[in-house]
Amino acid sequence: MSISSSLWTTRGIGSISLLLISTAAVTAYEGRDESGAHFNLVAEWGEYGSKAGQFKYPCMLAVDASSSVYVVDQHNHRIQKFDAGGRFLHSWGRFGNGPGQFNYPFGIALDSSGAVYVSDMDNHRVQKFSPGGEFLKAAGGYGSESGRFKHPYGLAIDSRGIVYVIDTLNYRVQKFDRDLNFVGAWGSQEEIGIKTYMPHEIAIARDGSVILSDRQNHRISIFNPVGKLVKRFGQYGEGPDTLGGRFSEPHGVAVGPDGTIYVCDRYNYRVQRFNPAGVFEAAWSIRGPKEDSQQYVLGLAADAKGNIYVTDQYRHRVLKYRYSPSAPAATGFGAPGRVRK
Amino acid sequence: MRALFALAAVTLGLTLQAAVGPEKAIVVIGAHADDLESLAGASVAKYIARGYKGIFAVLTTHRAGAPLTPGKLEGDPLEAIQLHSEAAIAAARRYRATPVFFNLHPTRIRHGRSFAFTGSPWWSRFMPPGTWDISAAPARRPVVNAVAALLVEHNPELVLTHGIGEGDIEHHSGADIVYRAWTEARRRGARLGQLWFRSKDSSGMLSEASFRRFFEPARVTDDFFALADAREPEIEQQDRRFGPQWETALAPPFTYRSSRSQPVVMAVGAHCDDIEVQTGGTLVNLLRQGWKGLYVVTTNNTAGNYLRGGEGSTFPVDGLETIQVRQEEGRRAAAMFGLEPHYLNLHELVFYLGRQQITMEDEEWGLYDPPGNGPVTSSPEGKGLELMTALLEQHEPDLVIAHLLSDKPEHGQSGDLVYRAFKQATARGARLGQLWMPVGRFLPYFQRVRLHPDISIDVTEDNRLNWEALQHHVSQNAAGMIGMKPQPGKKRYEHFIIIVDNTGHR
């Protein structure tokens, strides 16, 4: 949906208000969900604990080409791997700072060969593993020099194998090659034109641009690969009547095979769906074990078949949804997710 | 004739009153029922035997965790409150005194086999009978007024209570309330005599020597100081907006003699910004003179970090993020002094899970298991005492500066921890110099009591760097520290009392 003009009002010096009229065509990124789409909960797994298949505050997750799901099990300091239905396959990692050990891991991403990259948040490093969890390499260490980190959070890998890492308390995004050699960095306010503070997650769009969930500013920011800001959408909104396209602390972000963008809208307890241009399409609430309970969605991933996986951080579980453009689910694991109107 | 009779009656009445005198009263105000007897039982017995009227006032509803009936386990807080009231009445009866209750909440109540603190979800659900948490009550005008009304009613010649600086926060708060009420009653025209504070408390953070220097009290018995005497002129009120007028109470210039070519100063704060807030100017001053500095933070800093969001919103963030943000801010601030912080990572009492505050009593505390080395106390259940002692033994500082009492529990606990570690390290043979504690912040008494610091340091020249360091604590709204902002031409001092002195200089 687009409109040919738009009005902004802004307060000038003193009590004078300025009215700016844009003559350029702009896109409306927000609105109400009128898609009629349904998001069917098709699987969920996990509970609090340290055994196989249990979680302690799961964070980000990733899905490989065969729809195996890798989950960062943060307070167990490990990675767990499941099949597409949530059956536990294996896990690796424990608390520590040695190779293959973790100190509160957070982000995870897979490259085209299936290698697994994990941001080891409080060890200030990124580790690379084989698809089976064998340690391959680590890079980083505490510091602000190139290639070092101050608490890395989300990470993502583009089609060329460039690894983008949110280096949170250095307020930048760092880039590495597949072997974790430093390639470049960007992120200062002077460079990108906006001030970010503790963004959490990053994803790669179909055209290779970098999508950042700008939590502090309640927006999604899209950069080209060298860090030039090309688009922002969203604004702050919180509560049951919040329009789609508005956010309260967006966290996880993922891109589907068709370029669709999904965003965890944490304090609206929902996931929002946008087209590749960032136009709002639909949203659905994440339901808790009890009716009307609200869940803290954090991590997000989409597989090649269009399924969406969400981590419910404080309920220690993973939810799997299937998008249905119009008709409600005839069968399936659970009832349709509630679409916000 | 009638007028003459009336005059005679009045004259007779006055004469009789002069012969007998108004009934003298002694008021004992304790935090708990069992404090009354242990606090002042013997003293009260003497005065009552002399004809004084006795008043036993109890501030809290009960003491959590202390069974009042020997051999009986305390379970239900309601039952504990009933037992507590009965104990207070019985104690008053033993001394032919009148019991009075103020029904303040203790800082915690029994919750199963654990405790629930005020403000925790369980506390809110249970809603025990009572009014305010005693530790917050000194700032509550109705509480102070109620205690003041008691004093106005009885005009006691003696008021006895706990000591400021006692290790038990409920005792300390009780003394605080009584001090304020005593001042208020005097303002209302009550005919008061002396206010006595208990001097004996082995767990207190304020040593007797410091207490005496600080408050200028007169010892009246083996157990009590007279903190205030209404027969003396009232001390001039201080400026309450920005604290006391320090310049009127400067200690002599500071000089320190050390056998080392480079003396070592260790500044210890509970949180990442506390060193700058309380002792930063002095730290800069000493570093400028060539001292070696150590910047030590005792807690893991989970208590609060409000990120500023778009459109002016702010929101708390999870415990892990709070630790990361605040410790990074601490590193940046310490770097302004050329220092690297030492983090002991002792647990605070709360952290945030999303936007929800979690206390030790909540189930989520155990689930989340926030990273840390045990509570920020000197209790053996944590590693704090050993970590702090080891740090002191390793660096053998000539000077340690730690928190005194405060309005925040972690500050007082941190100060207590350093004090005990200082003693322990010294006993083990470490060559430590002096332990100072800053006076001037978080202790309201200074606004009304003449200040006698042992040390006053002119930090006018040093405060700019300290203020710039403070600006790195973005998550704590550092820019709001208006009183800290360097103001051209305005003198600024930091004041301390010496808690321990191993140097023999004084």
Side-chain angles (χ1 to χ4, degrees), chain A residues 60-63 108 155-156 201-206 211-213 220 233 251-264 271-276 284 298-303 307-310:
Chain A
M60 296 302 163
L61 70 179
V63 188
I108 189 166
L155 46 76
E201 184 57 321
I202 196 168
I204 306 300
R206 196 169 49 174
I211 305 171
L212 190 75
S213 65
I220 298 299
F233 59 91
H251 276 63
V253 58
V255 176
D258 59 352
T260 300
I261 300 169
Y262 296 92
V263 180
C264 275
V271 175
Q272 297 195 55
R273 174 187 161 106
F274 299 86
N275 74 13
W284 74 98
L298 178 66
L300 196 58
D303 68 14
N307 296 306
I308 300 105
Y309 301 82
V310 181

Side-chain angles (χ1 to χ4, degrees), chain A residues 221-239:
Chain A
S221 299
I222 299 179
F223 301 86
N224 70 15
V226 294
K228 179 175 169 44
L229 179 67
V230 294
K231 183 185 288 183
R232 294 178 88 193
F233 59 91
Q235 61 176 300
Y236 177 68
E238 187 173 313

Side-chain angles (χ1 to χ4, degrees), chain B residues 413-491:
Chain B
Q413 290 166 346
S414 179
D416 179 54
L417 172 69
V418 176
Y419 172 77
R420 292 173 201 281
F422 194 99
K423 290 282 194 184
Q424 180 166 287
T426 303
R428 290 181 186 175
R431 292 166 301 167
L432 308 179
Q434 295 182 339
L435 172 62
W436 296 0
M437 293 186 175
V439 291
R441 296 190 67 85
F442 305 132
L443 206 60
Y445 319 106
F446 298 127
Q447 295 175 355
R448 290 172 179 260
V449 177
R450 192 183 302 280
L451 180 67
H452 291 277
D454 296 317
I455 304 290
S456 296
I457 297 185
D458 181 347
V459 296
T460 309
E461 295 290 317
D462 310 296
N463 197 39
R464 175 162 295 283
L465 179 60
N466 183 43
W467 188 76
E468 288 170 1
L470 191 61
Q471 302 314 299
H472 287 289
H473 299 284
V474 175
S475 70
Q476 306 303 300
N477 190 23
M481 296 283 184
I482 296 168
M484 296 282 292
K485 191 171 182 177
Q487 297 173 38
K490 181 152 186 177
K491 284 277 187 185

Side-chain angles (χ1 to χ4, degrees), chain A residues 48 57 74-75 104 121-122 142 150-151 153 169 197-198 200 215-216 218 236 238 248-249 267 314, chain B residues 307-311 313 315 317-318 320-321 324-325 328 331-332 353-355 364 366-368 371:
Chain A
Y48 181 84
Y57 302 94
Q74 187 179 66
H75 285 228
Y104 296 98
M121 196 167 65
D122 282 4
Y142 179 83
K150 292 183 179 178
H151 304 289
Y153 271 67
L169 291 182
Y197 192 58
M198 296 204 82
H200 262 53
R215 162 192 174 179
Q216 174 205 15
H218 311 286
Y236 177 68
E238 187 173 313
S248 178
E249 296 189 46
Y267 287 100
Y314 300 159
Chain B
L307 288 187
R308 291 155 191 271
E311 288 87 43
S313 61
F315 41 85
V317 299
D318 279 359
L320 281 179
E321 296 172 71
Q324 293 165 359
V325 169
E328 187 58 26
R331 286 188 193 97
R332 288 167 183 253
L353 194 58
R355 294 177 179 175
E364 287 87 349
L367 299 181
Y368 194 84

Side-chain angles (χ1 to χ4, degrees), chain A residues 73-229:
Chain A
D73 186 8
Q74 187 179 66
H75 285 228
N76 281 322
H77 310 281
R78 67 184 179 185
I79 307 301
Q80 294 200 67
K81 183 177 179 180
F82 302 88
D83 70 14
R87 189 169 63 89
F88 173 78
L89 299 176
H90 71 272
S91 69
W92 71 89
R94 60 186 171 86
F95 180 76
N97 57 15
Q101 297 176 336
F102 299 107
N103 187 359
Y104 296 98
F106 183 88
I108 189 166
L110 311 176
D111 68 14
S112 55
S113 71
V116 183
Y117 299 74
V118 180
S119 60
D120 188 7
M121 196 167 65
D122 282 4
N123 279 328
H124 311 283
R125 66 183 180 181
V126 172
Q127 296 195 67
K128 180 180 178 180
F129 301 90
S130 72
E134 179 192 359
F135 172 79
L136 299 176
K137 195 169 183 185
Y142 179 83
S144 54
E145 303 87 354
S146 295
R148 291 183 167 267
F149 299 103
K150 292 183 179 178
H151 304 289
Y153 271 67
L155 46 76
I157 303 172
D158 71 11
S159 58
R160 301 169 299 157
I162 299 296
V163 183
Y164 295 82
V165 186
I166 298 178
D167 184 10
T168 301
L169 291 182
N170 280 320
Y171 308 101
R172 66 186 178 185
V173 173
Q174 294 204 66
K175 297 197 294 186
F176 298 83
D177 66 18
R178 287 177 197 272
D179 295 324
L180 295 181
N181 297 309
F182 175 76
V183 174
W186 46 266
S188 71
Q189 189 173 356
E190 294 74 27
E191 283 176 306
I192 64 174
I194 58 172
K195 184 177 182 181
T196 61
Y197 192 58
M198 296 204 82
H200 262 53
E201 184 57 321
I202 196 168
I204 306 300
R206 196 169 49 174
D207 65 359
S209 54
V210 179
I211 305 171
L212 190 75
S213 65
D214 186 2
R215 162 192 174 179
Q216 174 205 15
N217 293 313
H218 311 286
R219 282 177 172 79
I220 298 299
S221 299
I222 299 179
F223 301 86
N224 70 15
V226 294
K228 179 175 169 44
L229 179 67

Side-chain angles (χ1 to χ4, degrees), chain B residues 52 98 120 127 137 140 151-152 178 196 227 233 296 299-300 317 355 391-392 431 457 506:
Chain B
Y52 278 60
T98 305
S120 67
M127 281 305 286
R140 300 281 185 183
L151 302 180
V152 170
V178 173
W196 291 8
L227 183 70
V296 181
T299 74
N300 59 0
V317 299
R355 294 177 179 175
L391 205 56
L392 290 167
R431 292 166 301 167
I457 297 185
R506 301 181 75 87

Side-chain angles (χ1 to χ4, degrees), chain B residues 189-490:
Chain B
R191 299 185 306 279
L192 303 176
Q194 290 186 326
L195 171 62
W196 291 8
F197 275 24
R198 183 164 62 176
S199 61
K200 303 245 174 178
D201 177 40
S202 58
S203 68
M205 282 176 275
L206 209 55
S207 70
E208 181 176 323
S210 303
F211 185 89
R212 290 177 69 90
R213 284 197 299 275
F214 179 37
F215 287 110
E216 241 185 14
R219 180 179 286 286
V220 289
T221 73
D222 282 346
D223 294 329
F224 288 96
F225 292 119
L227 183 70
D229 191 332
R231 290 164 293 196
E232 293 180 351
E234 191 165 10
I235 292 166
E236 189 179 342
Q237 293 289 308
Q238 305 279 7
D239 183 345
R240 301 194 65 181
R241 287 172 301 169
F242 297 109
Q245 301 299 313
W246 305 109
E247 293 78 357
T248 63
L250 291 179
F254 168 62
T255 54
Y256 192 91
R257 295 188 300 275
S258 173
S259 56
R260 290 179 176 176
S261 58
Q262 188 183 31
V264 178
V265 54
M266 177 189 285
V268 187
H271 305 100
C272 278
D273 55 347
D274 287 333
I275 290 174
E276 290 85 334
V277 170
Q278 297 205 12
T279 63
T282 298
L283 181 60
V284 173
N285 185 292
L286 296 177
L287 293 173
R288 195 160 50 81
Q289 293 181 45
W291 287 50
K292 178 185 174 187
L294 295 163
Y295 184 107
V296 181
V297 179
T298 54
T299 74
N300 59 0
N301 290 275
T302 56
N305 164 21
Y306 284 76
L307 288 187
R308 291 155 191 271
E311 288 87 43
S313 61
T314 60
F315 41 85
V317 299
D318 279 359
L320 281 179
E321 296 172 71
T322 305
I323 295 171
Q324 293 165 359
V325 169
R326 294 207 63 186
Q327 293 197 349
E328 187 58 26
E329 289 171 349
R331 286 188 193 97
R332 288 167 183 253
M336 298 291 290
F337 308 139
L339 303 176
E340 182 82 21
H342 295 263
Y343 291 125
L344 298 190
N345 286 316
L346 302 173
H347 283 122
E348 294 216 63
L349 302 176
V350 299
F351 71 92
Y352 279 89
L353 194 58
R355 294 177 179 175
Q356 185 186 3
Q357 192 180 63
I358 305 296
T359 73
M360 285 181 170
E361 308 312 316
D362 296 319
E363 182 187 3
E364 287 87 349
W365 181 283
L367 299 181
Y368 194 84
D369 191 17
N373 292 314
V376 58
T377 66
S378 53
S379 70
E381 60 186 296
K383 298 177 184 171
L385 188 58
E386 281 310 310
L387 288 171
M388 193 71 230
T389 304
L391 205 56
L392 290 167
E393 289 177 322
Q394 179 187 350
H395 296 283
E396 296 193 319
D398 296 83
L399 172 61
V400 179
I401 307 177
H403 289 291
L404 187 61
L405 295 169
S406 73
D407 54 348
K408 296 180 181 178
E410 297 91 343
H411 290 197
Q413 290 166 346
S414 179
D416 179 54
L417 172 69
V418 176
Y419 172 77
R420 292 173 201 281
F422 194 99
K423 290 282 194 184
Q424 180 166 287
T426 303
R428 290 181 186 175
R431 292 166 301 167
L432 308 179
Q434 295 182 339
L435 172 62
W436 296 0
M437 293 186 175
V439 291
R441 296 190 67 85
F442 305 132
L443 206 60
Y445 319 106
F446 298 127
Q447 295 175 355
R448 290 172 179 260
V449 177
R450 192 183 302 280
L451 180 67
H452 291 277
D454 296 317
I455 304 290
S456 296
I457 297 185
D458 181 347
V459 296
T460 309
E461 295 290 317
D462 310 296
N463 197 39
R464 175 162 295 283
L465 179 60
N466 183 43
W467 188 76
E468 288 170 1
L470 191 61
Q471 302 314 299
H472 287 289
H473 299 284
V474 175
S475 70
Q476 306 303 300
N477 190 23
M481 296 283 184
I482 296 168
M484 296 282 292
K485 191 171 182 177
Q487 297 173 38
K490 181 152 186 177

